[in-house]
Amino acid sequence: MIIAGNWKMFRGPDPHALVGLDAIVCPPYTRLRDCVEAGLTTYAQNVHWEPEGAYTGEISAPMLLELGVTGSLVGHSERRQYFGETDETVAGRTRAALEAGLNVIACVGETLEERERGETDDVLRRQLSVLEPHPNLVLAYEPVWAIGTGRTATPEMAQEAHELIKSLIDAPVLYGGSVKPDNAATLLAQPAVDGALVGGASLDVDSFTAICQAAARIPS
Ligand code: PGA
């Protein structure tokens, strides 16, 4: 089971309080060093497709590696929604990060309108069509309507989407979208769910710890 905490643009908890948890943390860039120094497995929330260049505001894979960061999220729906991230830029970022030696968690997922129009499968197929399997690539299925809304996909919905994703790319698939201590065990018990990408609940040490403990109880 892989549990990753995405702190988004929040300061997040004291990294020392997370030492010993079997988890990945994805803090904002300004807190990467603190997390690395505390000994946590630390991923960035984004990474650029070039190693260096005139790209104000961006951070590259070699820069992250120099800090001791071992991976990055790519293609989070908030990047796609607010910052113009496209399937092509997601593909470029993923390829560059993997080639540089970072691990990648690439995020996919449909919006509420797309689900209601019955387009979930088409959206996932399109988003995944630009990605290739790689030993260091993990995918995260994050239905946009479940992120930060308190609305979680049912375990059956997650299982169905994960099965489709796995049929297209052979990689572990995390579920993300309002994962909390009280729903983690049922979601993680689905056979095609290989872990969780946790936003809001990763900001609180107790709830993140409880989710990691729920994951540890799932037989592998
Ligand atoms: P959430 O966020 O757990 O707060 O819904 C998940 C994510 O965006 O990765």
Side-chain angles (χ1 to χ4, degrees):
M1 283 282 146
I2 303 168
I3 305 297
N6 174 13
W7 299 0
K8 309 195 177 187
M9 201 174 73
F10 293 103
R11 191 160 196 290
D14 176 357
H16 294 98
L18 304 176
V19 173
L21 282 187
D22 185 9
I24 297 165
V25 292
C26 310
Y29 290 121
T30 51
R31 301 218 66 208
L32 289 171
R33 188 185 292 279
D34 288 351
C35 291
V36 169
E37 283 178 357
L40 305 181
T41 303
T42 307
Y43 286 18
Q45 295 176 13
N46 199 10
V47 56
H48 198 258
W49 56 82
E50 292 291 346
E52 59 179 12
Y55 298 103
T56 303
E58 292 283 328
I59 301 285
S60 72
M63 292 167 171
L64 293 173
L65 286 161
E66 195 179 297
L67 265 184
V69 170
T70 53
S72 184
L73 300 178
V74 171
H76 190 279
S77 70
E78 287 150 16
R79 301 293 321 166
R80 295 178 190 257
Q81 198 177 347
Y82 304 122
F83 301 101
E85 201 76 65
T86 63
D87 294 335
E88 284 63 40
T89 56
V90 169
R93 292 179 194 276
T94 302
R95 200 176 309 118
L98 291 169
E99 277 172 12
L102 287 174
N103 300 305
V104 170
I105 300 176
C107 306
V108 295
E110 79 288 358
T111 63
L112 184 59
E113 297 71 40
E114 288 164 342
R115 176 162 282 269
E116 285 174 346
R117 287 199 300 261
E119 293 170 7
T120 300
D121 281 23
D122 292 344
V123 170
L124 295 177
R125 283 178 197 280
R126 193 202 73 225
Q127 292 174 334
L128 291 165
S129 67
V130 295
L131 301 176
E132 280 155 27
H134 185 286
N136 299 331
L137 175 65
V138 167
L139 301 169
Y141 170 60
E142 296 206 305
V144 179
W145 48 271
I147 296 178
T149 58
R151 259 184 91 175
T152 318
T154 63
E156 296 72 28
M157 279 178 192
Q159 172 66 18
E160 198 183 327
H162 284 221
E163 278 176 4
L164 172 72
I165 293 168
K166 283 171 172 291
S167 75
L168 298 168
I169 295 195
D170 183 20
V173 184
L174 315 183
Y175 170 78
S178 299
V179 175
K180 307 282 179 226
D182 61 356
N183 60 25
T186 357
L187 286 160
L188 294 170
Q190 298 302 306
V193 176
D194 302 305
L197 180 55
V198 185
S202 73
L203 296 171
D204 177 76
V205 174
D206 292 340
S207 64
F208 193 53
T209 303
I211 292 168
C212 294
Q213 287 167 345
R217 284 192 291 269
I218 307 283
S220 51

